[in-house]
Amino acid sequence: MQTAISIIIALIIFGVLVLIHEFGHFIVAKKNGVVVNEFSIGMGPRIFSRVAKSGTRYSIKILPLGGSCAMLGEDEDNEEEGSFNSKSIWARSAIIFAGPFFNFILAFVLALIVMGVAGADVSYVTSVDKNSAAYEAGLREGDRITKYNGAHATLGREIYLEDYVNPLDGSEISISFVRDGEKKTIKYTPNTEKRYIVGMNYSPTETQAKISQVSRESAMAEAGVQPGDVVTEIDGVKITTGKQMSEHIASHPFGEKEVYLTLDRKGEEVKVVVKPKMTKIANSGFTYNLGREKQSVGGVIKYSFTEVRYEIATVLKSLKMLVTGKVSANEVSGPVGIVNVIGDTYTTAKSEGAAVTILTLLNLAIMLSANLGVMNLLPIPALDGGRLFLYLIEIITRKKIPKDKEGMIHFVGFVLLMALMVFLVFNDIRKLL
């Protein structure tokens, strides 16, 4: 039952995201005088259709998986009046770009709802250690951070993202902030200490002591611990919540001794032995806000734009980590993995009530919509970005790329994307087993 609900929610979210994407192509194609043969909601056989006076067939299809926008001569060497290829390079580029752009618009609209109801996690300093280099450099409680190590930091999550992508290693920290309307920038070398760590992330507020992330080459990774594992015992002490695990670790800090963990891995009991590693830890010397606070109308609009920027930055930085090897391909999720994430998100949130559940799923939809927009703009054949890249070549050379060659380029890209999809689905299933 739970799996069925997760799949239904995932289909609805994916369907809306793809439908909005195709509607972007559709509306801009219409504005540029391109004949749209069919605009459909869903995929597969038609269950309802109607042909409008304009000649466009509007259809509802049996599978609720997004939609499509079929334009006259889009994939053919056809330049008759009203065809896609009869339009200028700028009109064609606008039509192709409109799909991803509408995904960004959708992310912004959803962010307006979330920000309006729940508020924003404004990035102000909540505390500064008076013995830290940050305090000596002039940082104080209440300062509104705007940039952190060169990255935008209007939201607290933007600071968290930068620390996650580029962990502190003792190098100089740069912070720009606003205090009483005055802009300031400070730089300082953070305090460092050597400490035994195991390399995991979890939430102390969760009802389970669930491990959300395991650092590569960490003690946890070497012991075979996986993201999603739930800690049930530490050195024989029963653990039932994230809070209990936090309290236990605080009173029994990691040291030279091995740590014996009992884990629940999808219903199976797993026992591991973790050997903490001595690691040099850099301390920024301050804490910042991650809680959401209500905003004025102007604040809601401002922070909704910031939310979309944050989601786009998250995708781009994640891709960079993948390319540079900081994240392995096995850690990338495909459709099955995303459905599983949606299911876990729904399961976790529903205990907090309908309002929290809806807002949580809207947050997830914001992330997925921005993700879809960014991924479609990558210069990969068969994607919108691949087409835009070929149009850029056309603008530079002032010569159209022959349709047969363009078709072959997109076909090769499509085959590679399908191969990647098969790998991701297989990888998702392997991780679930």
Side-chain angles (χ1 to χ4, degrees), residues 120-180:
D121 51 316
V122 182
S123 57
Y124 60 84
V125 177
T126 53
S127 68
V128 185
D129 183 353
K130 291 185 178 181
N131 297 317
S132 69
Y135 191 88
E136 289 182 12
L139 193 66
R140 296 292 183 269
E141 181 179 333
D143 290 344
R144 291 278 296 271
I145 298 175
T146 56
K147 278 197 172 183
Y148 178 74
N149 281 340
H152 288 289
T154 308
L155 301 174
R157 281 168 294 151
E158 291 180 299
I159 301 176
Y160 183 88
L161 175 63
E162 180 60 23
D163 270 343
Y164 173 72
V165 175
N166 299 300
L168 297 180
D169 58 5
S171 302
E172 185 178 68
I173 295 176
S174 173
I175 299 176
S176 296
F177 59 89
V178 177
R179 181 191 301 160
D180 299 327

Side-chain angles (χ1 to χ4, degrees), residues 274-294:
V274 181
K275 178 64 175 175
K277 291 184 176 183
M278 177 66 79
T279 308
K280 182 180 179 181
I281 304 294
N283 187 349
S284 65
F286 71 96
T287 60
Y288 51 90
N289 175 55
L290 283 170
R292 290 183 178 270
E293 300 172 352
K294 291 275 191 175

Side-chain angles (χ1 to χ4, degrees), residues 3-234:
T3 301
I5 293 175
S6 300
I7 293 173
I8 291 170
I9 294 173
L11 287 176
I12 292 172
I13 292 176
F14 284 137
V16 171
L17 299 187
V18 177
L19 181 62
I20 292 297
H21 180 96
E22 295 299 331
F23 181 73
H25 293 314
F26 170 79
I27 197 69
V28 178
K30 284 285 191 179
K31 289 292 183 181
N32 282 278
V34 174
V35 174
V36 178
N37 292 328
E38 183 178 25
F39 180 79
S40 64
I41 298 175
M43 298 177 68
R46 300 186 187 101
I47 57 176
F48 171 82
S49 71
R50 183 178 68 85
V51 179
K53 292 181 180 179
S54 63
T56 299
R57 178 183 292 275
Y58 294 91
S59 306
I60 297 177
K61 298 185 176 181
I62 195 166
L63 298 175
L65 297 171
S68 63
C69 175
M71 294 175 277
L72 178 65
E74 181 180 2
D75 298 314
E76 305 169 5
D77 196 6
N78 180 355
E79 295 191 15
E80 67 178 279
E81 181 66 27
S83 69
F84 178 79
N85 289 305
S86 69
K87 302 304 175 181
S88 70
I89 184 67
W90 303 109
R92 283 180 282 141
S93 297
I95 293 168
I96 296 302
F97 178 74
F101 184 66
F102 267 56
N103 281 126
F104 296 140
I105 292 177
L106 175 62
F108 173 71
V109 171
L110 296 179
L112 284 173
I113 299 172
V114 174
M115 292 293 175
V117 175
D121 51 316
V122 182
S123 57
Y124 60 84
V125 177
T126 53
S127 68
V128 185
D129 183 353
K130 291 185 178 181
N131 297 317
S132 69
Y135 191 88
E136 289 182 12
L139 193 66
R140 296 292 183 269
E141 181 179 333
D143 290 344
R144 291 278 296 271
I145 298 175
T146 56
K147 278 197 172 183
Y148 178 74
N149 281 340
H152 288 289
T154 308
L155 301 174
R157 281 168 294 151
E158 291 180 299
I159 301 176
Y160 183 88
L161 175 63
E162 180 60 23
D163 270 343
Y164 173 72
V165 175
N166 299 300
L168 297 180
D169 58 5
S171 302
E172 185 178 68
I173 295 176
S174 173
I175 299 176
S176 296
F177 59 89
V178 177
R179 181 191 301 160
D180 299 327
E182 183 181 355
K183 296 179 181 179
K184 297 183 178 183
T185 298
I186 60 172
K187 293 182 179 181
Y188 63 93
T189 301
N191 303 98
T192 59
E193 63 175 316
K194 288 187 175 181
R195 190 192 311 163
Y196 284 99
I197 63 172
V198 296
M200 69 169 177
N201 282 347
Y202 68 97
S203 173
T205 61
E206 291 286 344
T207 54
Q208 291 182 311
K210 187 174 184 178
I211 297 172
S212 59
Q213 182 187 355
V214 176
S215 303
R216 295 184 70 191
E217 301 179 358
S218 66
M220 281 290 202
E222 291 178 359
V225 180
Q226 302 174 7
D229 287 347
V230 177
V231 178
T232 57
E233 283 187 14
I234 301 178

Side-chain angles (χ1 to χ4, degrees), residues 60 105 287 302 341 392 404:
I60 297 177
I105 292 177
T287 60
K302 170 187 172 181
V341 169
L392 177 62
D404 58 339

